[in-house]
Amino acid sequence: MKWLACELHTHTLHSDGSQTLEDLAEGATKLGFDAIALTDHNTMSGLIGKEEIEQKYGLRIIPGMEWTTFYGHMVTIGLSAFADWRQTVQGGIDEGIRSVHRLGGIAGLAHPFRIGSPACTGCFWEYEIGNWSAVDYIEVWSGTFPSIQLNNRRAFDLWTDKLNEGYRIAATSGRDWHAQSETDEPISVTYLGIEEDGVVENGNSTALSTHEETLIRTIREGRASVTIGPLLTLTLEAAGTVCPVGSTVPAVVERGGSTEQPILANLMLDFSVRAGLWSLPKQICRLKLCSNLGEELSLEVPLPLDGQMMLFEAQLPEFPPAIPRRWIRAELWGTVRGAHVLIAFTNAIYFEEGGDL
């Protein structure tokens, strides 16, 4: 699997940004991104000339638009045409999401707990969602140094609550990038895991040789990992099946009153990604496996030298059938700028209903 570094929430001077699309592409390339989504407020006009800019910088630019209303901001990505946001009332966002889906796009809640009016009109999510199954993702980290912000912690908790309720919703980050201003704050990256058969080798960069439809499907299915540092990945091995993030572990077959093979978790921390563009102080971090059952596993991880890769294998605890496991994710916790924060997390791996795990 190839992991592409993505920035999924950006703006140009076609809305309230102060940068052109080429400025944005050049800046994204310098920061080690493979792909960005242009999500200007209520317009897609900033995408003019994107193909030439993609080729110039070797960067995939995904079309998108941030629905900007009095009741919330919704980032839509991958649309084939303009989806009209203007008639969406507070109780009608479900139809708005359906219109995005009809045009081949995906829809996600942008910074749902950021302070709203009058400081930021509509930034706080007030839409009434009737069908959470239709929501493709939640932007749980917004802005720079996102894991220290209270509004992002609330968004992360919302995502966790929806996973606990049985919904399969992806989690992403987005800088909400408006200008090419320098910052020394940690920048988050959403890494998308692309299967090898989704990459067409044609002499261009991996990002450009990956179809837009593949990237959109990858976000929708939650094959993603989010970080302000190293890339964290998780796979599970169950009954001979390898399950990456976003996939489902088949129900464990019972034979003779006992369960089949144990479930093994394989975790990787890759410190070579975006080399030289981020750093963490030397420390002992904590690598966790968390699920609807709580914190299931915790390992001490001494940070290695730059460029190293660390692999871990662990067996998941067994639980009685009365306590089903619905989902599981990996988290990396440590100290950044003197604060104990979440450094990286994976999206969830799900468990098929009807099994005993």
Side-chain angles (χ1 to χ4, degrees):
M1 182 174 289
K2 294 182 181 291
W3 291 90
L4 302 186
C6 302
E7 168 54 64
L8 300 177
H9 191 160
T10 70
H11 297 280
T12 70
L13 45 73
H14 283 254
S15 59
D16 63 342
S18 60
Q19 56 192 344
T20 65
L21 182 58
E22 183 160 2
D23 292 337
L24 177 60
E26 182 178 10
T29 302
K30 290 178 179 177
L31 290 175
F33 287 104
D34 299 301
I36 60 172
L38 179 59
T39 55
D40 273 324
H41 297 283
N42 297 340
T43 181
M44 298 177 71
S45 61
L47 291 161
I48 296 172
K50 90 174 185 72
E51 291 79 10
E52 292 81 2
I53 295 173
E54 284 180 318
Q55 292 296 327
K56 180 176 180 179
Y57 292 97
L59 180 79
R60 175 64 72 190
I61 302 173
I62 311 169
M65 185 176 73
E66 183 175 7
W67 286 27
T68 308
T69 76
F70 291 113
Y71 305 116
H73 294 190
M74 183 171 76
V75 174
T76 63
I77 302 176
L79 291 87
S80 60
F82 180 85
D84 197 346
W85 54 273
R86 293 170 294 180
Q87 303 303 318
T88 305
V89 297
Q90 188 170 6
I93 195 62
D94 287 10
E95 176 54 36
I97 294 174
R98 283 193 291 270
S99 71
V100 171
H101 289 166
R102 283 194 293 268
L103 292 170
I106 57 176
L109 281 61
H111 45 66
F113 294 103
R114 186 182 294 177
I115 188 171
S117 300
C120 181
T121 301
C123 285
F124 188 90
W125 187 270
E126 297 183 65
Y127 277 114
E128 301 163 3
I129 299 175
N131 180 18
W132 276 96
S133 294
V135 175
D136 296 296
Y137 68 96
I138 300 173
E139 185 183 82
V140 301
W141 277 5
S142 176
T144 55
F145 201 177
S147 53
I148 202 172
Q149 298 180 37
L150 178 60
N151 65 298
N152 288 331
R153 296 180 192 177
R154 293 181 67 187
F156 191 88
D157 290 344
L158 172 65
W159 175 50
T160 301
D161 289 343
K162 293 306 171 184
L163 293 178
N164 288 340
E165 292 170 17
Y167 297 103
R168 299 189 175 192
I169 301 175
T172 68
S173 68
R175 181 174 172 179
D176 205 352
W177 196 3
H178 285 74
Q180 288 301 308
S181 54
E182 295 290 333
T183 180
D184 61 354
E185 292 191 331
I187 294 173
S188 64
V189 181
T190 300
Y191 282 94
L192 299 182
I194 309 299
E195 298 288 351
E196 297 294 335
D197 59 3
V199 178
V200 179
E201 298 298 342
N202 61 2
N204 293 330
S205 69
T206 299
L208 282 184
S209 59
T210 303
H211 295 301
E212 285 180 5
E213 293 81 2
T214 299
L215 294 173
I216 299 307
R217 184 174 66 251
T218 300
I219 299 171
R220 179 188 294 116
E221 295 176 355
R223 295 202 303 273
S225 185
V226 179
T227 184
I228 56 173
L231 169 62
L232 172 62
T233 66
L234 169 67
T235 60
L236 298 182
E237 293 184 32
T241 301
V242 178
C243 302
V245 292
S247 65
T248 302
V249 178
V252 176
V253 179
E254 292 189 355
R255 291 180 181 174
S258 62
T259 61
E260 278 289 291
Q261 309 170 28
I263 298 179
L264 298 178
N266 296 295
L267 301 106
M268 180 192 73
L269 280 168
D270 186 351
F271 288 80
S272 69
V273 295
R274 299 176 62 247
L277 295 171
W278 59 273
S279 64
L280 294 173
K282 290 186 178 180
Q283 59 184 293
I284 303 296
C285 290
R286 183 69 61 175
L287 186 59
K288 301 179 181 181
L289 286 177
C290 301
S291 73
N292 58 295
L293 303 175
E295 183 180 309
E296 296 198 28
L297 187 70
S298 180
L299 301 171
E300 288 189 347
V301 179
L303 288 194
L305 298 175
D306 291 343
Q308 290 189 3
M309 187 178 296
M310 303 181 74
L311 302 174
F312 306 88
E313 182 180 274
Q315 180 175 325
L316 296 191
E318 294 185 8
F319 291 90
I323 309 177
R325 183 187 284 118
R326 285 185 163 180
W327 60 270
I328 196 165
R329 68 176 175 235
E331 301 178 1
L332 179 68
W333 288 80
T335 299
V336 179
R337 301 198 171 190
H340 182 68
V341 296
L342 181 61
I343 296 173
F345 64 91
T346 70
N347 268 248
I349 298 175
Y350 304 97
F351 292 83
E352 184 179 0
E353 295 182 8
D356 63 342
L357 289 176

